[in-house]
Amino acid sequence: MGSLRKERPLRQLFYVLRRSPQRGIMEHQYFIKGGNPLVGSVEIGGAKNSALGILAAAIMCDETVTIRNLPDVNDINVFINAIKSIGAQIVYPNPNDRHIVMINGRGIRNLEVDNEYIRQIRASYYLIGALLGKYKEAAVALPGGCNIGARPIDQHQKGFKALGADIKIDKGMIYARADKLVGKTIYLDVVSVGATINIMLAASMAEGKTIIENAAKEPHVVDVAQFLNQMGADIRGAGTGRIRINGVKKFKAADHEIIPDQIEAGTFMCAAAATMGDVTITHVIPQHLEAITAKLLDMGAQIEETDDAIRVVVPKRLGSTTIKTMPHPGFPTDMQSQFVVCLALASGNSLVTEKIFESRFQYTGELVKMGANITVEGTTAFIQGVDKLTGAIVKAPDLRAGAALVIAGLSAEGCTCVEDIKYIKRGYENFAEKLRSLGGIIEEREIASHEDQEHEMRRLELVG
Ligand code: EPZ
């Protein structure tokens, strides 16, 4: 590897210049040396997607609510800054611990939420439901989030309009206003987590009864409903396809612990499986992981469950399977990419069909660079298992695919560099630290140039 630079042909040099981080712009990257089976025990944090709905709900209350088991990840911290910027009071009772936060929405004066950060996260849309419900007015920058498909918000708008709000979209902002909100029956044309939670937020302070038909049943929908109910809302049926909400006038103080993150847990289950390891994943609700567990069993993993932990053991090469992503209780789209990594290394041919987000196979090109044999046609990936993956420089295109590429790096021969890890940091807390505690060799470095990147890869190649 020593004289790599001198011998690099022109085409390769062009490739390097095109993709290298610009000099002077520091970028965080993961450097991974693969080959170690992950072994040990790892604790799962609070569910990011639950927390986002709960933080929005919290600002609807003029008394102080306490939220526990909050994940300390970038999307959450951006969201907290956004609610602070409109006047919500935010207190961390233990200054060095960002997992418990106290929120009071009494001081909210500004009903317009816009800054460069909030535009990057998807869940900014929950502020429309929360502010519209409480103040009958909201203006929020249109949601960004991971680039995994078109991601329209027509069902959110349909719900708000049914409750009596005028909705206008102008210059990247969504404006919602109502003289009053009145409960209605709303049939969702597609099962949407975001629309279900958003309508639940607004309807919980509307006059009379709202029914959401064809509602999403995800555990985080139930968690947000439970938190709203603790604050005095009257919501029944969360977790089924029909949610009934009787509006109330105001909320009271509450104290709530966020459920464990089903997708973080599933990601570590896949990391254990792909590296043929033995990992106990603690602080989980095994029922929330049933679709994931069932697939791993199908592929030949050994799984042991206790009340709040799952052990995944993979003593021999996994077998192939077929996966179709579906709304809960089906197989979650947020676990699709991590399973594709496992299947890329399994024996036999597998089929994975993405039914929720049409552009969620972008990362497969990166896996192909690592030696995977994957062909994507439309929304289906055809995977022919290979004996091994080999390290490469790859780019995380979104949060879950980023985590999947890290798993691929941990299972590959040699060194992998994962670029654009900012996506991973949106939703995984201490990801590298947790993997290291299981024996994974993974380091985060600030990189300013391709030379630095090459140097890190060479250095890591010598480790172990
Ligand atoms: C949530 O996104 C999650 N994000 C996503 O997590 C997750 O992948 C997704 O639910 C599905 O489980 C948050 O909770 C912040 P949807 P959301 O509305 O609410 C279509 C992650 O990695 N649709 O349930 O935006 C939509 O296009 C992420 O943590 C409409 O057509 O997803 C999709 O096909 C990424 N119109 C389907 O419904 C609408 O108005 C489900 O989307 C809304 C959605």
Side-chain angles (χ1 to χ4, degrees), residues 157-416:
Q157 295 183 57
K158 173 179 165 174
F160 299 144
K161 282 182 186 163
L163 296 176
D166 285 328
I167 306 286
K168 198 176 79 182
I169 294 182
D170 189 31
K171 298 191 184 74
M173 296 286 290
I174 172 159
Y175 298 88
R177 222 200 66 77
D179 291 333
K180 60 176 183 172
L181 295 177
V182 182
K184 276 274 158 55
T185 295
I186 299 157
Y187 181 86
L188 295 179
D189 302 325
V190 288
V191 180
S192 159
V193 172
T196 302
I197 291 179
N198 228 344
I199 296 168
M200 224 162 58
L201 291 169
S204 63
M205 280 198 175
E207 287 174 20
K209 185 169 183 171
T210 298
I211 297 176
I212 309 175
E213 299 278 14
N214 199 25
K217 303 173 187 147
E218 267 69 1
H220 32 291
V221 173
V222 179
D223 202 25
V224 177
Q226 277 174 354
F227 174 62
L228 283 162
N229 282 345
Q230 268 198 52
M231 291 195 299
D234 179 0
I235 303 175
R236 288 156 206 225
T240 74
R242 187 168 200 259
I243 300 180
R244 288 133 21 237
I245 306 154
N246 283 308
V248 299
K249 286 208 162 54
K250 64 176 187 167
F251 289 159
K252 59 180 184 354
D255 190 320
H256 182 79
E257 178 164 331
I258 293 170
I259 55 167
D261 197 309
Q262 163 203 21
I263 305 302
E264 188 195 8
T267 301
F268 279 99
M269 290 168 79
C270 282
T275 60
M276 295 179 64
D278 177 351
V279 176
T280 302
I281 293 124
T282 65
H283 195 212
V284 298
I285 299 176
Q287 297 93 294
H288 293 173
L289 298 165
E290 272 166 3
I292 299 165
T293 306
K295 273 300 154 198
L296 284 173
L297 282 171
D298 202 29
M299 291 158 66
Q302 295 168 8
I303 307 231
E304 285 169 26
E305 274 182 26
T306 57
D307 282 351
D308 65 351
I310 283 196
R311 180 175 172 205
V312 179
V313 188
V314 177
K316 62 178 178 49
R317 191 175 180 198
L318 291 167
S320 59
T321 192
T322 301
I323 292 177
K324 198 180 273 185
T325 64
M326 293 288 206
H328 191 80
F331 185 91
T333 172
D334 290 347
M335 285 305 304
Q336 180 253 96
S337 50
Q338 302 88 318
F339 266 80
V340 166
V341 172
C342 295
L343 294 173
L345 283 161
S347 62
N349 298 333
S350 299
L351 262 187
V352 177
T353 308
E354 173 56 57
K355 301 290 280 183
I356 311 290
F357 293 115
E358 68 278 11
S359 312
R360 224 171 185 182
F361 279 128
Q362 292 174 52
Y363 67 92
T364 53
E366 303 298 283
L367 285 181
V368 169
K369 279 189 212 163
M370 299 178 73
N373 188 344
I374 306 175
T375 319
V376 176
E377 273 176 32
T379 54
T380 300
F382 301 87
I383 304 154
Q384 214 176 319
V386 293
D387 290 341
K388 62 170 187 183
L389 296 176
T390 43
I393 298 172
V394 292
K395 224 184 213 349
D398 64 71
L399 165 61
R400 306 302 171 189
L405 292 173
V406 169
I407 297 175
L410 291 165
S411 347
E413 195 176 276
C415 239
T416 294

Side-chain angles (χ1 to χ4, degrees), residues 48-49 122 125 152-155 192-194 334 356 400:
K48 169 190 75 103
N49 291 342
R122 184 83 194 147
Y125 54 40
I153 54 165
D154 57 303
Q155 299 304 306
S192 159
V193 172
D334 290 347
I356 311 290
R400 306 302 171 189

